[in-house]
């Protein structure tokens, strides 16, 4: 078990053929993953997610900064010395080895052996099929066999130990890859889009299995995915990466509800947040093409002193709903409908400003393309972003009247 810390880590790859500039992937990245945490890493393709894991695994070395596993700086250690295990999207199993040997591969590599030990280990393996009295026993090999059996039981691979990878289904291969990672009881698991080669149904099952396994083992885990559902459901926290920089780090709900900038607002959540240009009319009111729109909740306060400022207003699709025609609701025309069974995603064009917005509707509402509708905005749903795309700070909740200020309890003598 260990905390993982990236301290000011940069990575530049040498210039690609024909180019003269190095490819800068990560820039002075700071990121701390707590001991036992399941951290999900997301970001657009090419933003450096795999590079980040490979740096920690020791498959690449940083151009600057340091990576710590627990208190140990690891960037100069060989991969085998780092106490981390990686699971790849492509499984990366050894095709010529059995499932059992794939799982135990890391165990056999973990410590150099003397020539005598090597001989004994080989004899143990060679005489294993023989009758018990004739077998030659190596304690090390016996311990490895026990560990492989434990791992196989955990991952339901018991009946498959003698098979080769080509005799396995995709899901079974992925479990063997997981088995190889957990066999060594590493301090850190690294998983790089491990489910993206599985079909949708198998993915759901394996997703639950990985979460369960991580919870049971309590091993610090960095998990890369581009799947929204995996990102929202698997981890304790999500780190969003873009352009070599960390955009936001927080719980899935924090990121969904309070994105720190427009990039996160658009990246987290499917379908993404609706964005429309607005102007501040007064605290509590925005203007959209001359129409006054109400803002309630913490964002209403954040508008204080910003009269006349142009902002980007964000609304999640669930903060808009089809509603009766009133002079408060926005008139719009339906331009596209996706009926998903449990809900409908309705794309509407606002009459004010012609902006397109996505609205969640219940499956029983009848909506057709070209229909005129009215949209009601949840006034507490507004999220607001300034010119550079940075979210307006959320005012701190004022202390409730009459409630004493809660301070952390300090026990024992305070030593200064
Ligand atoms: P992600 O996993 O987020 O899709 P990667 O970490 O694989 O992104 O890659 C980040 C960037 O680094 C990409 O632009 C990629 O082309 C580049 N890159 C990755 N590996 C190398 C390499 N060995 N040499 C040069 N450029 C590389
Ligand atoms: Mg990748």
């Amino acid at each position: 078990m260990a905390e993982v810390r990236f301290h000011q880590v940069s990575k530049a790859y040498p210039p690609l053929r024909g180019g003269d500039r190095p490819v800068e992937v990560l820039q002075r990245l700071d990121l701390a993953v707590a001991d036992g945490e399941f951290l999900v890493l997301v970001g657009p393709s090419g933003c450096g997610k795999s590079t980040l894991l490979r740096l920690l695994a020791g498959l690449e070395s940083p151009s600057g900064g340091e990576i710590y596993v627990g208190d140990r700086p690891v960037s100069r250690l060989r991969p085998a010395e780092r106490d981390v295990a990686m699971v790849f999207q492509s499984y990366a199993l050894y095709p010529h080895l059995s499932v059992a040997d794939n799982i135990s591969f890391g165990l056999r590599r973990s410590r150099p052996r003397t020539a005598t030990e090597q001989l004994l280990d080989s004899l143990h393996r060679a005489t294993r099929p023989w009758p018990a009295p004739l077998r030659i026993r190596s304690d090390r090999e016996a311990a490895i066999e026990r560990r492989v059996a434990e791992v196989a039981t955990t991952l339901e691979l018991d009946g498959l130990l003698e098979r080769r990878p080509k005799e396995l289904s995709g899901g079974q291969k992925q479990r063997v890859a997981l088995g190889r990672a957990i066999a060594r009881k590493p301090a850190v698991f690294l998983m790089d889009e491990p489910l993206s080669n599985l079909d949708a149904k198998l993915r759901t099952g394996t997703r639950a299995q990985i979460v369960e396994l991580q919870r049971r083992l309590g091993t610090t885990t960095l998990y890369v995915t581009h799947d929204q559902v995996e990102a929202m459901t698997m981890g304790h926290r999500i780190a969003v990466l873009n352009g070599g920089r960390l955009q936001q780090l927080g719980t899935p709900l924090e990121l969904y509800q309070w994105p720190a900038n427009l990039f996160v607002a658009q990246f987290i959540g499917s379908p993404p947040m609706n964005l429309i240009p607005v102007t501040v009319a007064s605290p509590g009111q925005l203007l959209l093409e001359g129409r006054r729109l109400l803002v309630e909740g913490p964002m209403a306060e954040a508008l204080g002193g910003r009269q006349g400022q142009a902002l980007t207003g964000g609304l999640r699709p669930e903060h808009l709903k089809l509603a009766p025609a009133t002079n408060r609701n926005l008139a719009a025309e339906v331009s596209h409908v996706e009926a998903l069974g449990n809900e409908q995603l309705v794309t509407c064009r606002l009459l004010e400003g012609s902006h397109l917005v996505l609205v969640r509707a219940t499956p029983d509402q009848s909506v057709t393309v070209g229909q005129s509708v009215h949209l009601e905005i949840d006034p507490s749903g507004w999220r607001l972003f300034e010119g550079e795309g940075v979210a307006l700070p959320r005012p701190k909740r004022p202390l409730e009247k009459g409630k004493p200020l809660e301070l952390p309890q300090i026990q024992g003598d305070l030593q200064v």
Side-chain angles (χ1 to χ4, degrees), residues 119-120 123-125 127-128 130 132-138:
L119 180 64
L120 193 62
L123 287 170
H124 177 109
R125 287 158 70 80
T127 61
R128 216 158 82 89
W130 295 7
L134 299 177
R135 281 183 219 154
I136 294 171
R137 185 184 152 85
S138 139

Side-chain angles (χ1 to χ4, degrees), residues 183-219:
R184 280 193 292 140
K185 301 187 180 164
V188 184
F189 289 143
L190 306 176
M191 304 197 190
D192 196 355
E193 310 205 21
L195 305 184
S196 43
N197 284 347
L198 304 181
D199 63 54
K201 188 157 172 259
L202 201 55
R203 217 186 280 184
T204 310
T206 318
R207 191 166 76 211
Q209 242 181 353
I210 291 179
V211 169
E212 221 287 298
L213 193 68
Q214 197 274 343
R215 188 163 40 213
R216 193 145 42 88
L217 302 175
T219 308

Side-chain angles (χ1 to χ4, degrees), residues 284-303:
Q285 280 192 334
L286 294 170
L287 279 175
L288 167 67
E289 310 278 336
R291 280 284 299 252
R292 282 178 183 268
L293 305 170
L294 209 62
V295 182
E296 283 175 4
M299 285 332 276
E301 252 175 88
L303 294 182

Side-chain angles (χ1 to χ4, degrees), residues 76-355:
R76 277 166 220 293
L77 300 180
R78 286 185 298 114
E81 296 169 326
R82 296 187 179 203
D83 208 11
V84 304
M86 185 143 164
V87 179
F88 299 88
Q89 174 182 356
S90 58
Y91 318 130
L93 301 177
Y94 297 100
H96 58 290
L97 296 182
S98 67
V99 167
D101 287 342
N102 266 290
I103 292 176
S104 60
F105 190 82
L107 297 173
R108 294 213 163 79
R109 256 189 352 156
S110 58
R111 183 174 62 84
R113 293 169 296 165
T114 63
T116 324
E117 283 173 328
Q118 282 181 35
L119 180 64
L120 193 62
D121 289 349
S122 311
L123 287 170
H124 177 109
R125 287 158 70 80
T127 61
R128 216 158 82 89
W130 295 7
L134 299 177
R135 281 183 219 154
I136 294 171
R137 185 184 152 85
S138 139
D139 286 343
R140 182 174 181 275
E141 280 297 316
I144 290 176
E145 278 167 17
R146 274 198 307 278
R147 183 70 189 134
V148 169
E150 273 169 28
V151 169
T153 308
T154 306
L155 292 167
E156 294 166 37
L157 291 166
D158 305 82
L160 309 173
L161 287 172
E162 295 313 314
R163 292 204 195 168
R164 311 269 144 177
K166 67 169 188 291
E167 297 158 344
L168 301 174
S169 71
Q172 289 167 338
K173 281 185 209 165
Q174 191 49 272
R175 297 214 300 281
V176 177
L178 279 173
R180 185 174 55 189
I182 69 173
R184 280 193 292 140
K185 301 187 180 164
V188 184
F189 289 143
L190 306 176
M191 304 197 190
D192 196 355
E193 310 205 21
L195 305 184
S196 43
N197 284 347
L198 304 181
D199 63 54
K201 188 157 172 259
L202 201 55
R203 217 186 280 184
T204 310
T206 318
R207 191 166 76 211
Q209 242 181 353
I210 291 179
V211 169
E212 221 287 298
L213 193 68
Q214 197 274 343
R215 188 163 40 213
R216 193 145 42 88
L217 302 175
T219 308
T220 311
T221 300
L222 275 78
Y223 186 103
V224 169
T225 181
H226 63 259
D227 182 298
Q228 284 287 332
V229 181
E230 286 177 31
M232 289 303 290
T233 60
M234 291 181 81
H236 300 115
R237 288 190 300 171
I238 304 177
V240 183
L241 208 62
N242 187 38
R245 292 173 199 279
L246 187 63
Q247 303 291 314
Q248 193 172 2
L249 175 66
T251 64
L253 222 53
E254 270 164 22
L255 267 60
Y256 187 82
Q257 294 183 334
W258 297 103
N261 56 41
L262 280 175
F263 181 82
V264 178
Q266 292 272 276
F267 199 81
I268 297 289
S270 172
M273 189 180 263
N274 294 302
L275 299 176
I276 40 182
V278 290
T279 316
V280 182
S282 64
Q285 280 192 334
L286 294 170
L287 279 175
L288 167 67
E289 310 278 336
R291 280 284 299 252
R292 282 178 183 268
L293 305 170
L294 209 62
V295 182
E296 283 175 4
M299 285 332 276
E301 252 175 88
L303 294 182
R306 293 181 185 267
Q307 267 91 327
Q309 192 181 347
L311 298 173
T312 301
L315 288 167
R316 293 276 177 206
E318 56 271 28
H319 292 136
L320 286 163
K321 69 174 186 214
L322 302 175
T326 64
N327 52 11
R328 218 206 239 182
N329 294 341
L330 293 176
E333 188 186 278
V334 175
S335 66
H336 183 62
V337 183
E338 282 178 37
L340 299 172
N342 61 332
E343 64 172 359
Q344 303 185 78
L345 293 176
V346 186
T347 310
C348 300
R349 187 175 293 283
L350 300 180
L351 295 197
E352 264 97 4
S354 240
H355 305 290

